[in-house]
Amino acid sequence: MSINLIIAEKADAGRRIAYILSEKNMHQKKSKNISYIEFDDNGEKNIMVALSGHIVESDFPESFKDWIKSDLDKLIDSEIVYNIKNKKASDALQSFNDIKRVIIATDYDREGELIGVESLKFLKNYTEVKRAKFSALTNQEIKDAFKNLIDVNYGLADSARAREEIDLLWGAVLTRFFSVTSNRLWKDFISVGRVQTPTLALIVKREEEIQNFIPEKYYQISVKFNKKIDFTARYEKDIKDKSEAESIFNDINNRDGTVKSYDREEKEVYKPVPFSTTEFLREASRLGITPSNAMKVAEKLYMSGLISYPRTDNTVYQRSIPLKSIAEKFLKSDYENEAKLVINQERIIPSRGKIETTDHPPIYPVNLPQKPLNGAYKTVYDLIVRRFLATLYKNARIESSRAEIEINGHMFVATGQRILDPGWYEIYKFRKLNEIRLPELKSGESVSGREWNLEEKETEPPKRYDIASLLKMMESLNLGTKSTRHDIIQKLNDRNFATGNPVRPTPLGIGFIKSVTSIDSDIAKPDMTAKLEKEMDEIAENKKNEIDVVNESRLMLHEVLKNFRSNRDSIKETITEYANKGEVIGKCPIDNGDISVIKYRNFEKIKCSNDECKINFNISGTPLIQLTDKKCPVCGLPLIKIIRRGQSPEIRCIDPECSYNKNTYGKCPSDGGDLIIRQSRYGKRFLGCSNYPKCTVTYPLPQKGIINSTGEVCPYCGAPLLLLINGKRRWKFCPNIKCEYNRKDKGEKAKE
């Protein structure tokens, strides 16, 4: 019997593919400490192996491990080696014999193709290689893909390898240069990336525009009229000159108006286009789900066979997708009413976006969940289902109206909007159509004025990018890909370059970009990265050679490094200056200096701008710190509010060693020391002995709620009993989670 070896990228996908092809008749086996699945299909024996990502990873030779001593020019020209990072997978692949055909069934994208091609290096004696191309883990799509196998796209794999090598070169060389130059090493190194640097430059540039913005005053004149209902008309333009505005206002004050024109027009509000990855992530971010988390959730939903492949640029459904049949799946679900709206149309005409590709369709639902979804999974699935159904439903229709009203020779304009048919808004509840009431008017009629207003306003600076608009900007500038943009934004946050949503640069982020842009380096400009992205596409299309593109990038990197070296001193000075600034949170009550929070990877420093001031403390973890207007009753220093994700806010003395912060919660059963609440390096609270490090007794604590001491001792283990207050819930418990006390009847404990 001939043997097919099927290569899957992830375990969940491998199991689902095997489950479908074997008609549920498959066997789990093990070889070289890695599990695989065996099943028969059409008289052929099949072995399914899931690789859990790349088997190998790119790196430099051992001789370049020392950041400080390594010659960066030699590093640029160094050979790139590939080390095995998943030895179990490589050993297992080498153990299989008599393979007739290898079928690559990884994700059909650059990374997936490269993972599949990498696996071939560890196989022997196979005679044929094919690829199964699919965009959803559904019965029909998987069976069709394996009946219609295609050739492996080696150009696609080459483009992924070229990107990996170029990113390694640029990231390693420039990260080492900036980290060593600024003397920020180990956990606080300066991370430099080919895509993240121009992305950060966008954020910093917008912040500079906001900071440098000079508001200008202008004046708006409005009149509230009444004709059965109230409506407002505004002067036809904003006025910059105050005296002019006051003159016009005096002319129209307490006067009625005459309608000069009234027009109505019916318009369609077009339904949204199908979800590309970027558009999906933008919409998810508006619902409070970070792009990185949204992508993880979408990938899990894909692996579970609930949605199509979530990494795609496509915004046009292929004709082969049975749109109506998919909509019908939702007739007996929570989306029954929405599905009926779509299906009961005479004709289903889906919306179309501007980008049409052939690799994967837009993101759409393919199945109903067997079990109820919760949390982010429910939210993301709901978003994708409603978006899909909305793209199949009719456009909304509105009536817009506009009236020109003259008051003593001055023209005012009133607008209105009435919903005629909500259309797709009935399905896609994440958007709303607002009505603006404007009565029907006739030319020449008089309308009574009720209120006359003159308002002084100021022009506003541009808004910071929120995650949705930043993703859109990255896409328009060709920064990154559909698969990497969300990771880039997350890295900027993790590496203390940017924070929040809307996104603000940190002082370190500003200092880094200033050090780069002060010498007019191209690494902060999107043009260079966009050029490389274009070359990646040309490699995938077999128009360019992988080696030539990588070598061209090496030459470019030599020039960039040369430019930076000649400005080493100014780079160090700029980064150091801004990195030490931190974010000002208030005034020091001791000497009126600025109290700032300086962020590092695993802790934050809170200090006064006056170096002689005693306010200079480290706070474990990376919480949000707010300065209060109250003083510590023990030492007189300011009290601060500590806000950690998932925990209740905590008021503490700014001095971590102050006894105010060391409320005791009982005695340690081991040595009699005081048990106090501490914070781990990751910001998780726990109960620890005051005699640490001599005593290492610790107890994990719930992260939410207020912890109080009860003064009681656990009768089972001797630990102090605690009281958790979280909203209306009050729960007495032993901090020793394995203690018999916590196995008492929950109903009794709830009453205590």
Side-chain angles (χ1 to χ4, degrees):
M1 181 183 289
S2 60
I3 300 176
N4 293 325
L5 180 66
I6 305 172
I7 307 293
E9 188 170 333
K10 302 177 184 73
D12 288 350
R15 281 193 294 268
R16 186 162 183 83
I17 292 169
Y19 181 83
I20 293 169
L21 295 178
S22 68
E23 301 288 347
K24 308 178 187 179
N25 186 21
M26 58 186 191
H27 305 282
Q28 192 85 30
K29 296 195 173 184
K30 206 164 192 178
S31 172
K32 301 290 183 181
N33 293 320
I34 190 172
S35 296
Y36 66 93
I37 299 170
E38 198 173 274
F39 63 92
D40 294 335
D41 180 36
N42 292 327
E44 293 183 327
K45 182 179 179 181
N46 293 273
I47 296 174
M48 165 65 74
V49 179
L51 300 180
S52 300
H54 287 278
I55 301 177
V56 296
E57 62 182 348
S58 59
D59 202 353
F60 297 106
E62 283 288 328
S63 57
F64 290 101
K65 290 297 181 184
D66 191 317
W67 282 29
I68 297 174
K69 295 180 181 179
S70 296
D71 185 317
L72 294 183
D73 282 305
K74 290 182 178 178
L75 185 66
I76 294 173
D77 295 325
S78 166
E79 171 195 9
I80 293 177
V81 297
Y82 282 86
N83 302 318
I84 294 174
K85 75 170 188 176
N86 188 344
K87 196 168 188 308
K88 288 183 179 180
S90 65
D91 288 349
L93 290 175
Q94 293 179 70
S95 71
F96 295 119
N97 296 307
D98 303 319
I99 303 298
K100 175 190 174 185
R101 177 194 285 168
V102 178
I103 302 174
I104 295 175
T106 53
D107 293 344
Y108 189 69
D109 58 14
R110 288 175 180 170
E111 288 301 311
E113 205 74 349
L114 179 57
I115 289 169
V117 169
E118 285 172 350
S119 69
L120 300 178
K121 298 176 183 178
F122 301 94
L123 296 170
K124 52 190 176 182
N125 301 327
Y126 61 88
T127 57
E128 184 184 14
V129 181
K130 285 291 183 181
R131 138 71 75 180
K133 177 186 174 183
F134 50 87
S135 296
L137 294 172
T138 60
N139 284 24
Q140 191 62 48
E141 184 132 359
I142 293 300
K143 288 179 178 179
D144 287 347
F146 278 81
K147 283 180 183 177
N148 302 286
L149 297 171
I150 62 174
D151 292 331
V152 174
N153 187 339
Y154 290 95
L156 199 63
D158 288 345
S159 71
R161 186 165 42 246
R163 180 195 300 280
E164 183 178 342
E165 293 186 358
I166 289 171
D167 285 348
L168 175 67
L169 285 164
W170 284 78
V173 170
L174 296 181
T175 293
R176 292 185 185 197
F177 172 80
F178 278 92
S179 299
V180 173
T181 297
S182 61
N183 198 29
R184 291 177 65 94
L185 298 168
W186 310 111
K187 292 177 181 178
D188 294 311
F189 67 90
I190 300 286
S191 171
V192 186
R194 183 178 60 85
V195 179
Q196 78 176 33
T197 300
T199 303
L200 177 60
L202 290 174
I203 299 168
V204 172
K205 181 182 178 184
R206 178 57 57 86
E207 191 69 19
E208 288 175 343
E209 290 171 350
I210 293 171
Q211 298 302 324
N212 296 330
F213 181 81
I214 300 174
E216 295 181 1
K217 291 182 179 180
Y218 68 95
Y219 301 86
Q220 280 188 347
I221 303 174
S222 62
V223 180
K224 182 179 286 186
F225 294 101
N226 179 270
K227 183 187 176 184
K228 296 183 180 178
I229 61 169
D230 288 342
F231 65 96
T232 299
R234 289 184 172 82
Y235 186 60
E236 57 186 349
K237 63 181 181 181
D238 294 334
I239 307 164
K240 292 185 177 181
D241 183 72
K242 183 178 181 180
S243 59
E244 179 187 356
E246 290 175 341
S247 174
I248 295 172
F249 183 74
N250 290 333
D251 286 346
I252 62 97
N253 193 21
N254 293 316
R255 292 177 179 269
D256 295 334
T258 302
V259 177
K260 288 298 180 181
S261 66
Y262 175 74
D263 299 299
R264 288 187 302 184
E265 180 184 8
E266 287 191 15
K267 295 180 179 179
E268 286 191 313
V269 181
Y270 294 107
K271 53 195 169 186
V273 300
F275 263 156
S276 64
T277 300
T278 300
E279 187 61 24
F280 157 66
L281 295 177
R282 292 180 68 213
E283 289 292 280
S285 73
R286 292 190 175 106
L287 301 180
I289 303 175
T290 64
S292 57
N293 191 34
M295 204 67 222
K296 289 176 186 175
V297 170
E299 286 174 348
K300 188 68 176 178
L301 293 175
Y302 164 69
M303 293 294 179
S304 302
L306 297 179
I307 67 171
S308 63
Y309 189 58
R311 299 179 187 272
T312 177
D313 288 323
N314 203 351
T315 55
V316 179
Y317 297 123
Q318 290 95 325
R319 291 188 177 183
S320 59
I321 299 175
L323 300 175
K324 185 174 182 180
S325 297
I326 295 170
E328 287 172 344
K329 290 183 179 182
F330 295 97
L331 286 174
K332 295 182 179 179
S333 74
D334 293 339
Y335 303 97
E336 180 179 6
N337 293 334
E338 291 83 356
K340 282 181 178 178
L341 290 175
V342 171
I343 292 164
N344 290 338
Q345 297 176 106
E346 288 186 15
R347 186 181 173 194
I348 296 176
I349 303 175
S351 59
R352 293 173 60 91
K354 294 180 180 180
I355 300 174
E356 184 172 10
T357 62
T358 58
D359 52 354
H360 289 289
I363 304 170
Y364 67 96
V366 296
N367 266 322
L368 289 165
Q370 297 299 310
K371 297 178 181 179
L373 299 172
N374 296 307
Y377 292 93
K378 181 179 180 180
T379 302
V380 168
Y381 183 74
D382 181 59
L383 175 65
I384 291 171
V385 171
R386 290 184 179 279
R387 181 68 168 226
F388 169 71
L389 294 174
T391 63
L392 306 184
Y393 197 41
K394 59 187 175 181
N395 295 331
R397 284 193 309 112
I398 61 171
E399 179 189 79
S400 63
S401 52
R402 185 178 188 275
E404 290 184 339
I405 301 172
E406 184 185 44
I407 310 176
N408 196 21
H410 300 286
M411 197 65 71
F412 287 73
V413 176
T415 58
Q417 179 172 286
R418 186 165 66 94
I419 301 172
L420 302 177
D421 186 341
W424 60 274
Y425 285 92
E426 290 187 75
I427 296 173
Y428 201 66
K429 62 180 183 180
F430 313 106
R431 302 275 181 87
K432 286 185 178 180
L433 264 180
N434 294 318
E435 287 198 323
I436 303 170
R437 302 182 72 187
L438 180 64
E440 184 174 347
L441 302 171
K442 294 180 181 179
S443 181
E445 73 173 306
S446 177
V447 284
S448 300
R450 292 186 58 189
E451 291 181 14
W452 296 259
N453 296 298
L454 171 61
E455 292 182 89
E456 180 181 279
K457 295 189 174 185
E458 287 187 341
T459 54
E460 295 182 351
K463 293 182 179 179
R464 291 186 177 97
Y465 293 107
D466 59 13
I467 290 175
S469 59
L470 184 57
L471 283 166
K472 188 69 174 177
M473 179 60 73
M474 291 173 72
E475 182 183 49
S476 67
L477 296 173
N478 207 13
L479 285 174
T481 68
K482 58 183 179 289
S483 303
T484 62
R485 291 182 188 115
H486 63 284
D487 282 334
I488 296 299
I489 296 174
Q490 187 62 44
K491 283 178 182 177
L492 290 175
N493 189 288
D494 294 342
R495 292 166 183 176
N496 192 26
F497 282 142
T499 185
N501 184 22
V503 187
R504 294 182 296 110
T506 64
L508 176 62
I510 294 171
F512 169 63
I513 291 300
K514 279 189 174 294
S515 73
V516 172
T517 55
S518 63
I519 55 176
D520 195 29
S521 171
D522 286 342
I523 72 163
K525 299 175 182 177
D527 299 357
M528 184 186 72
T529 295
K531 178 178 179 293
L532 285 171
E533 294 295 346
K534 183 179 179 182
E535 289 178 333
M536 301 299 144
D537 292 336
E538 290 174 338
I539 294 172
E541 297 164 2
N542 297 309
K543 294 178 180 178
K544 277 202 171 185
N545 180 276
E546 169 198 350
I547 296 175
D548 292 341
V549 171
V550 174
N551 286 338
E552 181 185 340
S553 190
R554 291 180 195 263
L555 293 174
M556 193 185 305
L557 183 53
H558 274 298
E559 287 300 313
V560 169
L561 181 61
K562 180 181 177 181
N563 199 6
F564 282 141
R565 275 190 174 135
S566 63
N567 293 274
R568 187 189 295 269
D569 291 341
S570 65
I571 288 172
K572 179 179 181 179
E573 183 180 340
T574 302
I575 292 178
T576 302
E577 176 192 351
Y578 278 87
N580 291 335
K581 277 186 175 180
E583 182 177 354
V584 177
I585 61 172
K587 287 292 183 181
C588 177
I590 298 174
D591 57 20
N592 205 37
D594 289 331
I595 292 183
S596 299
V597 175
I598 303 171
K599 294 187 176 183
Y600 297 88
R601 293 287 170 86
N602 295 319
F603 72 95
E604 295 187 354
K605 180 181 288 292
I606 183 166
K607 70 183 294 291
C608 178
S609 57
N610 180 3
D611 291 336
E612 304 299 321
C613 182
K614 63 181 179 180
I615 293 182
N616 188 345
F617 305 108
N618 292 342
I619 308 294
S620 62
T622 54
L624 175 64
I625 300 174
Q626 295 177 350
L627 191 68
T628 73
D629 58 359
K630 298 178 182 178
K631 292 184 178 181
C632 174
V634 176
C635 69
L637 289 177
L639 293 179
I640 55 175
K641 180 185 284 189
I642 301 284
I643 302 172
R644 288 184 169 93
R645 182 178 297 176
Q647 296 184 17
S648 301
E650 182 182 7
I651 301 296
R652 295 172 60 86
C653 176
I654 198 170
D655 180 358
E657 298 303 317
C658 178
S659 61
Y660 179 83
N661 298 331
K662 297 179 179 179
N663 294 330
T664 60
Y665 292 83
K667 295 296 182 180
C668 174
S670 176
D671 69 352
D674 292 328
L675 289 175
I676 57 178
I677 291 181
R678 299 181 183 274
Q679 299 288 336
S680 74
R681 60 187 294 187
Y682 302 109
K684 299 291 185 182
R685 65 181 179 179
F686 65 93
L687 209 59
C689 182
S690 59
N691 292 328
Y692 176 85
K694 289 183 179 180
C695 179
T696 57
V697 169
T698 60
Y699 300 105
L701 292 174
Q703 296 305 301
K704 288 187 177 181
I706 299 171
I707 303 288
N708 285 336
S709 172
T710 65
E712 301 176 45
V713 176
C714 175
Y716 296 94
C717 70
L721 294 180
L722 304 177
L723 181 68
L724 174 70
I725 304 173
N726 190 0
K728 295 182 179 180
R729 185 187 180 210
R730 300 170 68 87
W731 177 44
K732 188 193 294 184
F733 69 100
C734 176
N736 181 359
I737 57 175
K738 295 181 180 179
C739 180
E740 184 68 25
Y741 182 88
N742 295 325
R743 295 188 177 91
K744 290 170 57 183
D745 181 77
K746 293 181 180 179
E748 289 183 8
K749 282 203 293 181
K751 295 175 185 177
E752 293 180 358

